[in-house]
Amino acid sequence: MSDIVSEINKRRTFAIISHPDAGKTTLTEKLLLYGGAINLAGSVKGKKTAKHAVSDWMEIEKQRGISVTSSVMQFKYKGYCINILDTPGHQDFSEDTYRTLMAADCAVMVIDGSKGVENQTIKLFKVCVMRHIPIITFINKMDRDSKSPYDLLEDIENVLGINTCPINWPIGSGKEFKGVYDRKSKKVLAFTANNGQKEVLKEEFSLDDPQLDSHLAYGQKDILLDDVELLDGAGDEFDLDAVRRGELTPVFFGSALTNFGVEPFLEEFLNLTTPPLPRESNDGLIEPTKDPFSAFVFKIQANMNKNHRDRIAFMRICSGKFDKDMEVFHMQGNKKIKLSQPQQIMAQEREIVSEAYAGDIIGVFDPGIFSIGDTVCTPSHKFSFKGIPTFAPEHFCLVRQKDTMKRKQFIKGTNQIAQEGAIQIFQELDAGMEEVIVGVVGVLQFDVLKHRLNNEYNVDIIMENLPFRFIRWIKNDESVDVKSLDLASDTKRIQDLKGNHLLLFTSEWSIDWALEHNKDLELTEFGNV
Ligand code: G4P
């Protein structure tokens, strides 16, 4: 096997997704600990201690304690090279989560055992299902009083519409949490809380071991035996193909904080997941190990480091090997380029990388040429990957700067943030850039916009909520005279940055009105923003 093929086959690339506070940061920290990427638990920090997770870059994340942007970390474990893509833990940023999922081959979903699938998270998890990638569930905080494991599984099945298959099964919870029963080895892994360090005392018992009885509380053994019988008899059978199609989620119970069940999870995770998968392009499927270097941009982030005012484009390598000095072809720019300052993030450190392989994520310095979804490939084999869909914004605001002298910074800031895909900006027809209409998928994105304009561009803004809820691009823009359309009085004509015309509606009723009164008009929900 060539070196490139063996390197690629070692890769596992997954996104980690959860409701805020379910334990995503804690689990990530423990995984990094096993990989030796960090040495001490607590290096990826809790929020209240005013120390912050390695992946939390932005001020607003620190203030709110939510993860807004996604970041990438890599670690090695038992010969594997694992890339973790962190995702925003709030559904207002579900579009960002979706883009990150596009760069991942599978997702780990962390659920708080005491809460189950929380309402505000449903949208976020559904985005995961939409992507049809394997989802592996970690039900966390079993050392706290939890819901019944049956209810937790039912929650997942009902909300996400996918089947569940428990890989292990908890014995009690909270003070009565005694460990998990591993269904494959048919052994009980006894719960021993440690304060989060890597070395965990491992005590295993088979079901008929008399020592198990003394480890368990009164009555727990009977419940366990019943549960095991029930699961083996009635549960969904484990079917690796269904897992890989994203139709069945393997479920693990554990406690990230006390480091219980994390290493078994990691080991089984490696068995369940695949090396980087092929991707669709306009030239057929691109095979990670057969095709030469190719990658696509799934995220752009400006000003990650305030001192450097840099803009980084994150790319997922889809095939072949990347070398630092290689020349690549940027399809959308129709140009040969060199990717400058390619870097990878290893726990806390950003490191310049000299080589990377399919499955890896690299961040490259972006002088303003990249957009989300762009393809870079080898000049001898040109093609474009399938694009990343844009979510239609659902909330709109009129935004203008307080100080009219700051016009330049205002335009630069709003444009750059829009290029990152964090917001979409529009203008009223024939209006100048003094004020723009900003559309977002989740309202928290408005707060991020305000904060970032102030913090990174030194611009104070005034935001005025607009009553619109629906946006439609005019599909047959060339043949329609937008100004003479017969529209309901609460419909607004606007244009995007590329000059495409759109309509803003307050209700579905006004959309119907527009279509009925303008027989030639064709509307579409998705723009090529
Ligand atoms: P997130 O990234 O998903 O938002 O969650 P995070 O890991 O930050 O965890 C949220 C809180 O839950 C933290 O407590 C963390 O210590 C706690 N936690 C995580 N995993 C477990 C677990 O397995 N068991 C228990 N009992 N708690 C867990 P915090 O109070 O917000 O922070 P801190 O005061 O502990 O630093």
Side-chain angles (χ1 to χ4, degrees), residues 10 41 63 86 96 138 155 295 315 329 333 398 413 417 460 484 524:
K10 283 182 199 166
Q63 289 173 2
D86 192 12
D96 208 64
F138 188 85
D155 251 16
M315 298 180 180
F329 193 81
L398 191 64
I417 296 171
D460 256 341
S484 60
T524 159

Side-chain angles (χ1 to χ4, degrees), residues 108-121:
V108 168
M109 179 164 90
V110 186
I111 287 176
D112 181 336
S114 66
K115 298 190 174 142
V117 179
E118 296 165 67
N119 261 338
Q120 316 93 291
T121 324

Side-chain angles (χ1 to χ4, degrees), residues 183-408:
R183 295 182 63 206
K184 195 154 78 178
S185 68
K186 301 196 185 305
K187 290 222 163 100
V188 169
L189 179 61
F191 173 60
T192 36
N194 85 355
N195 55 2
Q197 301 310 309
K198 184 173 170 181
E199 306 312 329
V200 188
L201 186 66
K202 210 171 169 184
E203 249 188 309
E204 279 182 340
F205 305 103
S206 54
L207 281 179
D208 53 10
D209 187 337
Q211 282 193 46
L212 172 64
D213 301 19
S214 54
H215 179 76
L216 300 184
Y218 178 74
Q220 280 187 325
K221 174 88 178 277
D222 291 338
I223 298 176
L224 175 64
L225 293 177
D226 285 349
D227 284 347
V228 170
E229 199 182 320
L230 197 70
L231 290 172
D232 289 349
D236 273 302
E237 283 221 7
F238 183 75
D239 172 353
L240 190 57
D241 287 333
V243 173
R244 294 191 171 159
R245 287 194 304 270
E247 290 164 9
L248 176 75
T249 176
V251 180
F252 294 79
F253 292 84
S255 159
L257 185 67
T258 57
N259 208 7
F260 179 76
V262 177
E263 198 173 22
F265 164 75
L266 178 57
E267 292 194 353
E268 198 52 36
F269 169 85
L270 295 169
N271 292 331
L272 292 169
T273 51
T274 56
L277 296 169
R279 307 244 149 189
E280 279 181 50
S281 79
N282 61 357
D283 189 28
L285 273 188
I286 301 302
E287 295 285 347
T289 51
K290 292 192 190 120
D291 285 294
F293 168 79
S294 70
F296 72 89
V297 178
F298 68 97
K299 177 176 181 60
I300 294 174
Q301 175 81 58
N303 306 330
M304 272 179 7
N305 181 341
K306 233 183 146 184
N307 299 330
H308 292 122
R309 293 266 164 225
D310 52 358
R311 185 166 135 140
I312 307 277
F314 288 91
M315 298 180 180
R316 146 91 194 212
I317 303 180
C318 298
S319 59
K321 179 185 178 193
F322 168 75
D323 282 310
K324 159 162 99 25
D325 295 317
M326 80 197 293
E327 210 173 36
V328 299
F329 193 81
H330 176 214
M331 289 302 288
Q332 284 71 12
N334 195 21
K335 238 197 194 140
K336 277 190 193 167
I337 52 169
K338 268 199 178 165
L339 299 176
S340 39
Q341 301 168 25
Q343 38 195 280
Q344 246 172 3
I345 295 160
M346 311 281 284
Q348 286 98 325
E349 307 296 329
R350 279 210 238 169
E351 280 183 6
I352 296 288
V353 284
S354 49
E355 52 180 47
Y357 296 87
D360 288 341
I361 311 294
I362 51 171
V364 304
F365 174 73
D366 174 18
I369 57 172
F370 292 117
S371 296
I372 287 167
D374 281 8
T375 301
V376 290
C377 49
T378 308
S380 58
H381 183 196
K382 294 180 194 165
F383 59 84
S384 296
F385 286 109
K386 254 180 102 176
I388 303 180
T390 313
F391 286 27
E394 292 166 28
H395 306 274
F396 300 88
C397 252
L398 191 64
V399 177
R400 74 177 83 90
Q401 75 263 38
K402 269 190 188 150
D403 177 354
T404 45
M405 301 298 283
K406 298 263 176 73
R407 185 162 173 271
K408 239 170 115 182

Side-chain angles (χ1 to χ4, degrees), residues 72-127:
V72 185
M73 282 160 281
Q74 189 182 64
F75 70 96
K76 298 207 164 59
Y77 178 78
K78 294 197 172 165
Y80 290 92
C81 180
I82 302 162
N83 295 299
I84 308 182
L85 302 167
D86 192 12
T87 61
H90 194 290
Q91 63 176 0
D92 277 13
F93 303 96
S94 44
E95 186 173 18
D96 208 64
T97 298
Y98 188 78
R99 290 191 204 119
T100 303
L101 288 166
M102 290 292 285
D105 296 310
C106 68
V108 168
M109 179 164 90
V110 186
I111 287 176
D112 181 336
S114 66
K115 298 190 174 142
V117 179
E118 296 165 67
N119 261 338
Q120 316 93 291
T121 324
I122 294 175
K123 191 165 165 190
L124 212 54
F125 289 166
K126 284 207 163 149
V127 157

Side-chain angles (χ1 to χ4, degrees), residues 7-37:
E7 281 296 335
I8 294 174
N9 284 336
K10 283 182 199 166
R11 260 59 188 175
R12 295 290 186 276
T13 305
F14 73 92
I16 184 159
I17 171 168
S18 82
H19 184 269
D21 270 351
K24 183 165 60 101
T25 312
T26 312
L27 182 63
T28 306
E29 173 192 272
K30 295 299 173 329
L31 294 172
L32 293 177
L33 191 67
Y34 281 109

